[in-house]
Amino acid sequence: MTIAVVPAVCGALVGVGITEGLLRYTTPQAAPQIADKKGNLPSAAVVQNLGTSVPPATSEEKSSTSNSSAGARPSDKVEKDNAPWWSELIGRVAWPLTLLLSLAFIAYNARLGRILGFGTHLVKKVAAGGVEIEINSETVERVQRQLHGTFEELVTDAADEYERMAEIQDIQTLLKNAVVANIPDRPEGLRAAIHVNDVIFPDYLYQLVDYYPIGGGAHRRFSQRYGIIGRSWRSKTSHGTGDAFAGAGGSVQALVENWGMTEDEAHGQVNARPSCLSVIVRHQSVPVGVLFVDSKLKEAFGSDAVALALAKAIESSPSVVLLGEAIAKTLAPLRTAAPSLKIKGPAR
């Protein structure tokens, strides 16, 4: 708001200053009353600026005027209309021009217009007592468009920067190297991805690049409570499982109770990819991401105990260490420039 108001206020003040200065400069001054050769003033001199008559001068005034007129010079008389025509024109249009510019600025700046109460209002009618409220549908649609456009612009810009920085650090290639080096026997339907703490929404994990080797999936966001990747990120510990759907009869309820999914998230996941690894990727001992690997085969990476041991071993492998360094370099400039939006309820 301050950024929007300052130019308008400055413009108005400048307009006021120009107008006042020019008006002072161009306003003709009242000509002094000049006595005749005998030192007498007119009996009823008219002062044009005040529109009143001056009473006849007393003897003391005549004496004073006679003394002062003795040394008067023709140059002492103030000339009228000595200002150029253009300064008088500016003086006349300065105020209207300042007003028009201020109104145009407010009209152009939609946010400032809403703050000052211009334009349509969200609530069109309020009836007291019966609590009758009529919503202005046009304003609702306009606000929805503005919010949607602003949010989409933020998400799109963030995705572009994520992608650009990931390409600079060659994250996709480093992801491939980490998988090939640590899982040489590729099980059926294997896929791998990198998830990082989102720079826009810190309570979410962001899929930085497409799945290796099948492609797709980049730029998605998952809650930090979602699945095995959320568990690893929150606990800062690598995890692995041979059958993520074991328990509760391998149903949607198992994913809801054991893996932090909602029912909507769990539907379609049951028995789809039961084996998975979730490896914490670190840079200088600080977690910077999660290497996620899964498969369509049950126990593709061994039993739960074997998969857990494999995940912890992969965490310290040289290829994952290099991946962690590249991720840190990717995120550093993004965290410096991006807004951090947190949506949390009040503590109780």
Side-chain angles (χ1 to χ4, degrees):
M1 177 180 177
T2 303
I3 296 177
V5 172
V6 167
V9 174
C10 290
L13 292 177
V14 170
V16 171
I18 293 175
T19 304
E20 184 176 0
L22 289 173
L23 288 177
R24 288 183 178 181
Y25 180 66
T26 58
T27 300
Q29 304 293 326
Q33 301 176 36
I34 302 175
D36 57 17
K37 295 181 178 181
K38 296 182 179 181
N40 298 320
L41 291 172
S43 60
V46 178
V47 181
Q48 294 180 354
N49 289 343
L50 299 178
T52 59
S53 298
V54 179
T58 63
S59 58
E60 291 81 0
E61 290 174 340
K62 292 180 180 180
S63 176
S64 174
T65 305
S66 176
N67 294 335
S68 61
S69 63
R73 295 173 300 173
S75 59
D76 290 337
K77 183 179 180 180
V78 179
E79 298 180 357
K80 295 177 60 177
D81 300 329
N82 60 344
W85 65 269
W86 53 264
S87 64
E88 183 176 357
L89 177 63
I90 293 176
R92 291 180 180 276
V93 302
W95 263 114
L97 183 60
T98 300
L99 180 59
L100 289 176
L101 290 176
S102 300
L103 292 177
F105 179 82
I106 293 173
Y108 178 78
N109 192 310
R111 181 185 178 193
L112 183 59
R114 293 195 303 271
I115 292 173
L116 298 179
F118 291 94
T120 56
H121 297 279
L122 183 63
V123 179
K124 184 185 295 184
K125 177 182 179 182
V126 177
V131 194
E132 178 185 353
I133 299 178
E134 181 180 348
I135 303 298
N136 190 332
S137 59
E138 295 180 357
T139 301
V140 171
E141 294 177 359
R142 179 172 56 82
V143 172
Q144 287 177 341
R145 288 195 301 269
Q146 290 174 344
L147 292 178
H148 184 269
T150 301
F151 181 79
E152 287 295 330
E153 182 179 357
L154 174 63
V155 171
T156 301
D157 290 346
D160 291 342
E161 288 303 311
Y162 270 124
E163 187 170 346
R164 185 176 69 88
M165 294 304 300
E167 288 180 356
I168 292 175
Q169 298 299 328
D170 203 8
I171 299 296
Q172 193 75 56
T173 300
L174 293 174
L175 170 62
K176 174 184 175 180
N177 295 342
V179 173
V180 171
N182 293 284
I183 310 175
D185 299 327
R186 184 185 302 175
E188 179 184 354
L190 178 141
R191 65 178 184 176
I194 290 293
H195 300 274
V196 299
N197 190 205
D198 190 15
V199 299
I200 303 295
F201 304 102
D203 295 330
Y204 284 78
L205 296 173
Y206 184 87
Q207 185 168 337
L208 188 57
V209 293
D210 288 330
Y211 283 111
Y212 166 79
I214 65 174
H219 309 308
R220 295 185 300 168
R221 288 176 169 85
F222 301 90
S223 169
Q224 290 186 6
R225 297 174 176 82
Y226 178 87
I228 195 171
I229 59 174
R231 178 181 293 182
S232 290
W233 184 255
R234 295 193 314 271
S235 64
K236 298 179 174 58
T237 305
S238 297
H239 292 278
T241 180
D243 186 3
F245 309 110
S251 64
V252 169
Q253 194 64 25
L255 298 179
V256 173
E257 293 181 357
N258 301 332
W259 298 106
M261 296 184 184
T262 65
E263 289 190 4
D264 290 340
E265 293 169 337
H267 279 295
Q269 297 290 333
V270 176
N271 297 324
R273 293 178 173 273
S275 299
C276 53
L277 304 174
S278 182
V279 181
I280 288 293
V281 182
R282 304 178 187 272
H283 176 62
Q284 298 179 351
S285 302
V286 178
V288 294
V290 177
L291 168 60
F292 174 74
V293 186
D294 66 2
S295 171
K296 293 180 178 180
L297 296 180
K298 184 180 292 186
E299 296 188 350
F301 311 111
S303 63
D304 287 351
V306 173
L308 176 59
L310 177 59
K312 291 184 178 296
I314 293 175
E315 183 179 325
S316 58
S317 67
S319 57
V320 173
V321 172
L322 289 176
L323 179 60
E325 181 180 355
I327 292 175
K329 292 179 180 178
T330 298
L331 298 180
L334 298 178
R335 296 200 186 283
T336 301
S340 181
L341 307 180
K342 288 189 177 183
I343 304 176
K344 291 185 178 180
R348 295 183 181 273

